[in-house]
Amino acid sequence: MFAVFGFPFRFYQCWFSWSRIGAPAGVLLYMALAGGGGGGIGWLTAYLANVPPSTAPVIDGLFYGAAGALAVRADFRSGPGVSRGPQEIRGAASLLGKGIEWTTGLLDEVTWRRVKYWLDDRTDDQLLVVAFDIVHEIKADSAVPAPAKKVIGKEAVDAMQALHEAADDVKRAEGRSRLAHFCRSQIVSQHITRPV
């Protein structure tokens, strides 16, 4: 249950909208690692220590699961007399943190490939519309800081101009590639859902 809340809802929306098979497989793998792994660690520890917390198997299961969930969230870099700043605490090398990082990379990579194939099937005009939609969605997103919005907007305008002002096929292909790369990177990094 704790594993479900490892990612914001919009991440799930994005991954499932782009990949009907890869996203569920990746999420199930994550649930097995984060949820099942934590429960397994808790059960194995209690079993080896021969310390059943109660006589009821349901209570034992809840206890083992909670103990395992705590174990996979433990920071193994801590030591006696070690003081760390907020940045170091955020990057705690817990098993769950590594599992989330790995699963996010897997799901983002599946999304990256699906987005690439989808964008390759768009005409130049359709690609421009997708780029405009992305820019407007990012501008409306209050979580994206204003300086980042400026940089993203400039990158989009430069890529659009490279496609629109292309004088020959080589420059057009280069401009299209730049615009497609912009769209891909923003869709994956901002976790934008697939247009219907």
Side-chain angles (χ1 to χ4, degrees), residues 98-174:
K98 292 298 178 189
I100 288 174
E101 185 181 311
W102 183 84
T103 306
T104 304
L106 177 144
L107 291 166
D108 283 348
E109 183 62 31
V110 169
T111 303
W112 177 272
R113 289 180 185 182
R114 293 291 179 191
V115 171
K116 180 183 181 340
Y117 298 141
W118 184 79
L119 290 172
D120 287 347
D121 287 341
R122 308 294 104 190
T123 64
D124 289 352
D125 290 340
Q126 289 171 329
L127 190 58
L128 285 167
V129 169
V130 170
F132 277 120
D133 286 346
I134 290 170
V135 169
H136 288 112
E137 188 161 339
I138 291 170
K139 280 185 180 178
D141 189 349
S142 59
V144 179
K149 288 179 184 180
K150 269 187 179 179
V151 170
I152 291 168
K154 181 175 179 354
E155 187 182 340
V157 168
D158 291 347
M160 288 177 192
Q161 283 178 340
L163 176 61
H164 182 68
E165 296 172 359
D168 57 38
D169 288 345
V170 173
K171 287 188 178 179
R172 188 185 84 56
E174 182 186 345

Side-chain angles (χ1 to χ4, degrees), residues 25-131:
V27 168
L28 286 174
L29 179 62
Y30 163 68
M31 296 296 176
L33 289 172
I41 289 170
W43 174 83
L44 183 62
T45 304
Y47 177 77
L48 292 174
N50 197 17
V51 192
S54 74
T55 56
V58 172
I59 303 293
D60 288 353
L62 290 172
F63 177 78
Y64 297 155
L70 291 172
V72 297
R73 285 166 175 75
D75 180 5
F76 296 107
R77 292 184 302 181
S78 297
V82 175
S83 65
R84 298 198 325 227
Q87 283 300 105
E88 292 173 313
I89 291 170
R90 279 192 210 112
S94 69
L95 292 174
L96 181 64
K98 292 298 178 189
I100 288 174
E101 185 181 311
W102 183 84
T103 306
T104 304
L106 177 144
L107 291 166
D108 283 348
E109 183 62 31
V110 169
T111 303
W112 177 272
R113 289 180 185 182
R114 293 291 179 191
V115 171
K116 180 183 181 340
Y117 298 141
W118 184 79
L119 290 172
D120 287 347
D121 287 341
R122 308 294 104 190
T123 64
D124 289 352
D125 290 340
Q126 289 171 329
L127 190 58
L128 285 167
V129 169
V130 170

Side-chain angles (χ1 to χ4, degrees), residues 7-12 14-15 18 104-105 107-113 115-116 119 134-135 137-138 141 143-145 148-149 151-153 155 180-194:
F7 302 120
F9 180 70
R10 73 182 279 170
F11 284 38
Y12 289 113
C14 172
W15 294 326
W18 287 103
T104 304
L107 291 166
D108 283 348
E109 183 62 31
V110 169
T111 303
W112 177 272
R113 289 180 185 182
V115 171
K116 180 183 181 340
L119 290 172
I134 290 170
V135 169
E137 188 161 339
I138 291 170
D141 189 349
V144 179
K149 288 179 184 180
V151 170
I152 291 168
E155 187 182 340
H181 180 76
F182 165 79
C183 292
R184 253 192 331 272
S185 62
Q186 292 307 314
I187 286 170
V188 173
S189 66
Q190 301 296 326
H191 292 94
I192 297 171
T193 57
R194 181 179 181 157

